[in-house]
Amino acid sequence: MSQNLSDGVVRDLDQAARYGESINTESHRLNDMIDKVLHFSAIRSGQYQYVLHPVDIRTVVESEIEAIGRYSGREHRLATMFEEDLPLVLGDSQALRSVVRNLISNAMKFGKDDAAVSIEVCKSEGRNGTRIELAVEDSGEGIPSSEVAHIFEPFYRGNVARAGQIQGSGLGLSLVREIVAAHNGRIEVDSQEGQGTRVVVYLPVVGKGGLRGSRV
């Protein structure tokens, strides 16, 4: 497409606009894939240094939704619900943005085209006190029970992704798990075939005595 545009083969303005939109979408997808590979490699090699500070998780989620809308035009599929007066999360803002981005991207890819993806952020009480819950839910085909145990493996792609030729690197959830673990958090997946998938990330909040957060 880019070659045709540069060579002047495409003269119709509408067709040129469609070409430009496709190039833009694919360039963002390629950039996202490269970011995942580099980030995952840095984490696994111990070269990624987390910079922990108080983070407003609502701001992180809203900024990622805005970014997704800019290059995909599909922000209308995202339904959000934020609890009021959320405590701050102890985290690395860039790494947490990656968590949110990957969870939403997965839900949009595997959810039904005409159904919204639900994003909910609230606080709850865990064994060690207050924590933040970030839940992303789709209404897609769900994950077969035989595959649930493997979805966090690097480069793993299930039968639904392969059969449906859904684009992806198989690194998203593996990267999410690595980041969440580094934040003393945890992640849960609830999925049944034909009934969609709900992924919940639990993150520690800033402690009363300072920045240190407890494992949740």
Side-chain angles (χ1 to χ4, degrees):
M1 289 182 178
S2 60
Q3 189 67 52
N4 286 341
L5 287 173
S6 63
D7 289 346
V9 174
V10 180
R11 300 183 181 276
D12 180 75
L13 292 180
D14 289 338
Q15 186 177 8
R18 290 194 297 272
Y19 274 30
E21 182 179 354
S22 294
I23 292 170
N24 184 52
T25 299
E26 291 303 308
S27 64
H28 277 287
R29 187 176 68 85
L30 179 59
N31 184 68
D32 182 59
M33 185 178 297
I34 293 171
D35 282 345
K36 286 179 183 177
V37 172
L38 293 176
H39 195 173
F40 184 79
S41 176
I43 289 175
R44 280 298 178 92
S45 65
Q47 295 179 0
Y48 187 87
Q49 299 297 316
Y50 290 95
V51 180
L52 302 181
H53 59 277
V55 176
D56 181 352
I57 195 66
R58 176 169 183 163
T59 299
V60 170
V61 173
E62 289 179 335
S63 65
E64 283 305 306
I65 290 175
E66 182 182 355
I68 289 170
R70 282 199 301 270
Y71 73 81
S72 73
R74 301 168 76 184
E75 69 275 17
H76 62 281
R77 285 188 55 198
L78 304 177
T80 58
M81 185 171 71
F82 298 98
E83 184 176 335
E84 295 296 328
D85 301 320
L86 290 169
L88 299 177
V89 167
L90 178 63
D92 181 305
S93 57
Q94 287 301 112
L96 291 177
R97 284 177 65 106
S98 181
V99 168
V100 174
R101 186 184 318 125
N102 279 295
L103 292 181
I104 295 177
S105 175
N106 265 9
M108 293 178 70
K109 284 191 294 186
F110 291 99
K112 296 179 181 177
D113 289 338
D114 58 347
V117 168
S118 171
I119 305 164
E120 181 180 354
V121 184
C122 63
K123 61 179 181 290
S124 64
E125 296 300 319
R127 290 177 299 177
N128 295 308
T130 305
R131 62 193 181 181
I132 287 291
E133 290 187 24
L134 165 64
V136 179
E137 183 174 2
D138 66 63
S139 55
E141 294 301 317
I143 305 170
S145 56
S146 61
E147 296 183 1
V148 172
H150 303 287
I151 60 175
F152 293 108
E153 296 174 3
F155 303 106
Y156 180 82
R157 287 172 57 77
N159 290 328
V160 172
R162 295 195 301 270
Q165 296 184 334
I166 298 174
Q167 296 174 335
S169 63
L171 270 179
L173 284 179
S174 183
L175 183 59
V176 167
R177 183 180 64 174
E178 296 280 350
I179 294 172
V180 170
H183 283 74
N184 287 332
R186 61 188 178 89
I187 183 170
E188 294 179 352
V189 177
D190 181 15
S191 183
Q192 296 183 13
E193 290 186 72
Q195 298 184 26
T197 301
R198 179 180 174 87
V199 182
V200 184
V201 169
Y202 300 92
L203 296 168
V205 300
V206 175
K208 292 182 179 180
L211 296 184
R212 185 171 182 174
S214 301
R215 184 173 295 278
V216 297

